[in-house]
Amino acid sequence: MMPADEEPLTEAAVQAAGDIWVVFGRLRRKLRALEAAEEPVGRDGDREPSPPQSSVLRRLARNGPASASDLAAAEGVRPQSMAKTVIALEAAGLVLRSPDPDDGRRQLVSLTDRGHERRRGERLARQEWLARALQEHGTEDEVRAVITAMALLDKVAQA
C-alpha cells in the first residue's frame, strides 16, 4: 500500500527502473566475462591471473589485506585451494604475506605495488572497452544522454 503523501509511480519511472535493472545486469555480466577471459600472456610478458586469482586481487583491492582463511571463506573455496592461489599470486609478485599485527600466528595477504598496478590496468581495459562500445553503437547525442542518465542515477544512489 502506498503512503498517502507519495505520488503514484509513472509508467516511465517503472519502465526506466526495469530497464536499468536488466541493462545493468547484462553489462555487469559482460564486464565480468571480459575480466575472466584469460589471455595466455599479458602485455608485460607475464601470464595473466586466472579467474580465481583475479577475484582475489579484486577483493584485496576493494577490501584491503586479509588472511588466507578469510579470503577462502569470502570466495567460497577450501583453505587449501586458497593457499595455492595465494602462493601463485605471491610468485607472480602481485601479493605479499606479512604477519598480522593483531595476531602473530596469522599472516595477512595484501597487494604489492605491482598487484595494484595490475588491477588498475584491468579496470582501465574494461573502461576502454566500454568507451569504444559506446562510441561504436551510439550517436554523440546518445552518449551524452548516457552521461545525463548516469548523473541522475548517481543522485538516486546517494539519496
Side-chain angles (χ1 to χ4, degrees), residues 95-116:
V95 301
L96 60 85
R97 289 182 278 183
S98 56
D100 182 339
D102 297 329
D103 182 351
R105 299 167 296 175
R106 286 181 4 141
Q107 289 195 324
L108 294 179
V109 180
S110 59
L111 290 178
T112 61
D113 288 343
R114 186 173 182 196
H116 280 290

Side-chain angles (χ1 to χ4, degrees), residues 64-84:
S67 70
S69 60
D70 290 342
L71 288 170
E75 293 288 321
V77 299
R78 295 186 343 256
Q80 299 86 338
S81 297
M82 183 54 64
K84 289 178 184 178

Side-chain angles (χ1 to χ4, degrees), residues 9-24 153:
L9 295 173
T10 65
E11 281 187 48
V14 171
Q15 181 178 348
D19 290 352
I20 289 167
W21 190 264
V22 169
V23 170
F24 275 24
L153 291 173

Side-chain angles (χ1 to χ4, degrees), residues 24-86:
F24 275 24
R26 286 181 187 149
L27 189 57
R28 183 176 50 249
R29 285 188 299 277
K30 178 69 173 182
L31 291 170
R32 284 191 177 147
L34 289 171
E35 187 172 333
E38 198 174 346
E39 294 177 19
V41 178
R43 279 176 249 143
D44 56 3
D46 292 336
R47 293 194 68 75
E48 289 293 317
S50 67
Q53 291 168 353
S54 288
S55 182
V56 169
L57 293 174
R58 185 174 46 254
R59 185 173 300 282
L60 291 171
R62 187 175 46 235
N63 301 332
S67 70
S69 60
D70 290 342
L71 288 170
E75 293 288 321
V77 299
R78 295 186 343 256
Q80 299 86 338
S81 297
M82 183 54 64
K84 289 178 184 178
T85 298
V86 169

Side-chain angles (χ1 to χ4, degrees), residues 130-148:
L130 186 54
R132 280 194 194 290
L134 288 167
Q135 184 173 306
E136 290 172 7
H137 297 282
T139 65
E140 186 68 22
D141 286 343
E142 287 172 323
V143 172
R144 292 198 183 284
V146 169
I147 294 168
T148 302

